[in-house]
Amino acid sequence: MMTNVRVQLLRGLQATNTTAFVHRALAYSSTITIEKQGRAADGKNIMALMDLYVQENDHVRLFTHGDDEALAHTRLRSFLQGGELENHRHMDLEG
């Protein structure tokens, strides 16, 4: 699967957000790839992702391929768009 995504994470994929993304990606058996301006990185490799220098409002392509690609794609796209992260922020404030 492939989708174009506008990254809506505050500060983009800096260290904290990249670590959170990779942690989520590692939960899936599918291959996860992020592409920005023709450069691709393994979505399960922190250093490779940080090397793409993805900032807030950048457009990237999210690729998933494998047995659980649909679920991985949906959840990782949501994370990049800020949805899942926002839910965790609210839980942290309430808990």
Side-chain angles (χ1 to χ4, degrees):
M1 299 182 77
M2 188 280 289
T3 302
N4 292 310
V5 180
R6 183 171 67 101
V7 176
Q8 296 176 40
L9 298 168
L10 185 62
R11 293 181 297 280
L13 285 177
Q14 45 73 332
T16 302
N17 291 337
T18 301
T19 300
F21 181 89
V22 169
H23 178 76
R24 285 161 178 76
L26 287 169
Y28 303 102
S29 62
S30 292
T31 301
I32 315 285
T33 305
I34 299 284
E35 181 183 283
K36 178 186 170 189
Q37 297 176 338
R39 294 179 53 224
D42 178 352
K44 297 179 181 183
N45 182 313
I46 291 173
M47 296 309 290
L49 280 177
M50 289 186 66
D51 201 35
L52 288 180
Y53 196 63
V54 176
Q55 297 186 43
E56 185 176 7
N57 293 315
D58 280 352
H59 291 268
V60 299
R61 288 185 179 178
L62 170 65
F63 296 88
T64 57
H65 180 73
D67 293 336
D68 54 1
E69 67 184 32
L71 182 59
H73 202 87
T74 298
R75 292 200 174 148
L76 295 172
R77 182 184 65 228
S78 176
F79 178 82
L80 290 171
Q81 293 173 329
E84 188 177 332
L85 187 62
E86 288 301 317
N87 290 338
H88 287 304
R89 283 185 188 155
H90 291 280
M91 287 174 22
D92 289 342
L93 293 174
E94 294 171 1

